[in-house]
Amino acid sequence: ARALNPRKVLLRADLAVDMTAFQPWEQVCCQGVLEPEEHGVQEKLAQGESYLLSAVQEKPFTFSDQVRLSAPAGERVQLLSCRALPLCGESKLIGTKLIFKGTLELQLLLQEAGGALTACRESMPFSQVMEVPGVGEGGDCRLAVELTQLSWEEAGEDGRALELTADLLAQAQVWSRRPVSLLQDLYSTGFQTQVEREEVSLWQLLELSSRAQNVRELFETGALPRSVVDSWVSLGEVRRSREGEQLVLEGEVRAAVLYLDEEEAPQVFQKDLTVACRLDAPAGALCRCRMIAPGEVFAAPAAGGVEVRFAVDFQCLVLEEKKLTAVCAASLGEPRSRGEGSQPSVVLRLAEPGEGLWELAKCYGTTTQKILQANQLEEGALPAGRMLLIPSVR
């Protein structure tokens, strides 16, 4: 902003758009064989869990409240600027309803009748209910509330009250843990079997947290300011990089201070900062992060300038992809021979290193239960160094 003359001010602004698009996605995975007993099909199932985005919902809403301005009795004040930051305090899923509460934090810059500038903070609480069908009550909700419009008008006759109306947009993401059953392998005791496999991705939750980073910075203005009137921060992009096993998040922050110099003239000092946050995350992990500055920005005159202190929260969701091999198709071939020719009806052998009960049964076209019965074993690991009887299926 720059004054061109007493009646005109030139304003320049950079518009940043942060956009995320979602679409339904379906992953088909085989969970078993229909009527496996008909052809003696043996199945090896794996039980797992995947952390998935199960719902995305938005709700626009409007609310109004009256704010009383701080001013001496009988004096009117002029509102020069109003900054508003919506903060969500809590959210809870009950059935298909998401109940959330928060506040709209207002930072007002006022000019008194004598010309003095003062800043004050006010809070406007809100609570809303959003319909989120089909997710249940066990999900984790990530909720953001964005301000889309703010307007105000004088209320009362003394000029010290404002009626503020805020238009907001609540954006909810509900993440859920979903159990997954996968068919990892199969074979038939009666027929030769051809099996096709594919990789299936399951996502594991590594971290869901809010990490606060405290910032303390000295703005060198050259001369000692007489007083600080107002201070604020604007948040920009969050960049990601990697250092070994750590994920490094770097957020762009622009801090600004409005102060009075030695001649009581208002001056503005701005400074671009980078705020960093480190997470322990393996290579390939997926990180979703948003940055907020929820608290007050403190600023006070210091030697050679203004000392500024504020906090930035990195709200992080970190996921790790786990790939499992699963059966996607299978077909039956020629019948197996049973005790004919070179194929014995009973085999006596040692289990090789890394070979389990399933591998032995599959190799000889029998069942794991028959091997356990023939050797009088319980479910579990095979005994090391013991010869095993492996009967065929007749």
Side-chain angles (χ1 to χ4, degrees):
R2 179 166 59 90
L4 299 179
N5 56 50
R7 298 180 60 185
K8 291 184 179 180
V9 174
L10 174 66
L11 298 176
R12 287 196 179 97
D14 293 329
L15 180 64
V17 178
D18 184 8
M19 184 179 296
T20 304
F22 297 95
Q23 66 178 7
W25 176 76
E26 185 179 79
Q27 182 177 18
V28 179
C29 52
C30 184
Q31 296 182 310
V33 177
L34 297 177
E35 301 181 7
E37 299 84 3
E38 182 179 352
H39 298 291
V41 175
Q42 306 299 305
E43 301 172 294
K44 183 180 181 181
L45 299 177
Q47 304 298 326
E49 184 181 79
S50 195
Y51 194 74
L52 301 173
L53 180 61
S54 53
V56 177
Q57 199 74 19
E58 290 188 338
K59 179 185 178 181
F61 63 97
T62 301
F63 77 101
S64 300
D65 202 354
Q66 193 172 103
V67 175
R68 193 74 180 167
L69 302 177
S70 301
E75 290 189 11
R76 301 182 71 89
V77 294
Q78 182 181 0
L79 178 63
L80 300 182
S81 72
C82 177
R83 290 184 297 277
L85 174 66
L87 296 175
C88 182
E90 59 179 297
S91 59
K92 185 176 182 181
L93 276 168
I94 301 178
T96 62
K97 299 185 183 300
L98 174 62
I99 302 172
F100 60 95
K101 300 178 181 179
T103 59
L104 185 64
E105 299 294 326
L106 303 172
Q107 196 165 352
L108 311 174
L109 180 62
L110 309 174
Q111 186 175 40
E112 300 175 4
L117 300 176
T118 58
C120 64
R121 295 176 64 92
E122 298 288 343
S123 294
M124 297 172 60
F126 61 82
S127 61
Q128 290 288 315
V129 177
M130 181 191 301
E131 286 287 338
V132 186
V135 294
E137 298 184 6
D140 298 325
C141 181
R142 300 187 76 213
L143 185 68
V145 181
E146 303 291 342
L147 177 70
T148 58
Q149 186 171 335
L150 183 67
S151 60
W152 59 84
E153 59 183 16
E154 285 191 8
E157 298 179 355
D158 58 0
R160 291 186 296 154
L162 294 176
E163 184 75 21
L164 283 93
T165 301
D167 295 336
L168 298 111
L169 177 66
Q171 300 173 319
Q173 299 178 23
V174 180
W175 293 77
S176 304
R177 292 172 174 83
R178 296 294 176 89
V180 179
S181 178
L182 294 175
L183 179 61
Q184 283 198 301
D185 198 7
L186 66 83
Y187 66 91
S188 170
T189 60
F191 298 86
Q192 301 294 333
T193 312
Q194 291 77 43
V195 177
E196 297 179 23
R197 296 175 176 84
E198 65 179 0
E199 283 194 333
V200 177
S201 295
L202 302 182
W203 292 93
Q204 312 298 313
L205 176 64
L206 296 183
E207 181 169 338
L208 179 61
S209 65
S210 179
R211 292 173 172 250
Q213 305 294 317
N214 295 316
V215 180
R216 185 174 181 176
E217 192 77 15
L218 179 63
F219 291 5
E220 296 181 358
T221 57
L224 182 65
R226 185 175 295 274
S227 63
V228 174
V229 177
D230 199 4
S231 55
W232 62 95
V233 295
S234 303
L235 305 180
E237 181 186 6
V238 179
R239 299 184 298 272
R240 298 163 179 81
S241 61
R242 176 164 292 279
E243 293 182 4
E245 289 297 311
Q246 285 195 323
L247 191 64
V248 182
L249 307 175
E250 293 183 325
E252 298 176 353
V253 179
R254 172 168 292 180
V257 176
L258 174 64
Y259 66 93
L260 301 180
D261 62 16
E262 295 179 340
E263 283 76 33
E264 296 288 335
Q267 304 288 343
V268 173
F269 188 92
Q270 294 187 135
K271 188 174 184 179
D272 292 329
L273 308 171
T274 299
V275 182
C277 176
R278 293 176 176 269
L279 302 174
D280 291 327
L286 175 65
C287 177
R288 297 174 181 266
C289 178
R290 65 187 298 262
M291 184 172 57
I292 63 171
E296 188 174 354
V297 180
F298 299 94
V306 177
E307 183 183 66
V308 178
R309 292 180 290 117
F310 58 93
V312 172
D313 283 356
F314 288 84
Q315 298 181 344
C316 304
L317 170 68
V318 184
L319 303 173
E320 182 181 21
E321 185 180 19
K322 181 180 179 182
K323 291 185 177 292
L324 296 179
T325 301
V327 174
C328 60
S331 60
L332 299 179
E334 296 295 325
R336 288 179 181 267
S337 59
R338 297 301 176 198
E340 301 173 359
S342 60
Q343 179 68 30
S345 60
V346 177
V347 174
L348 184 64
R349 59 162 286 187
L350 284 170
E352 297 178 359
E355 197 172 34
L357 195 60
W358 173 266
E359 288 74 21
L360 287 174
K362 180 180 178 181
C363 179
Y364 293 97
T366 186
T367 68
T368 58
Q369 193 62 35
K370 284 187 175 296
I371 296 177
L372 292 173
Q373 290 174 354
N375 295 274
Q376 298 180 347
L377 297 174
E378 300 290 336
E379 291 280 357
L382 294 176
R386 176 177 167 179
M387 298 293 288
L388 297 174
L389 288 172
I390 305 175
S392 65
V393 173
R394 295 188 180 276

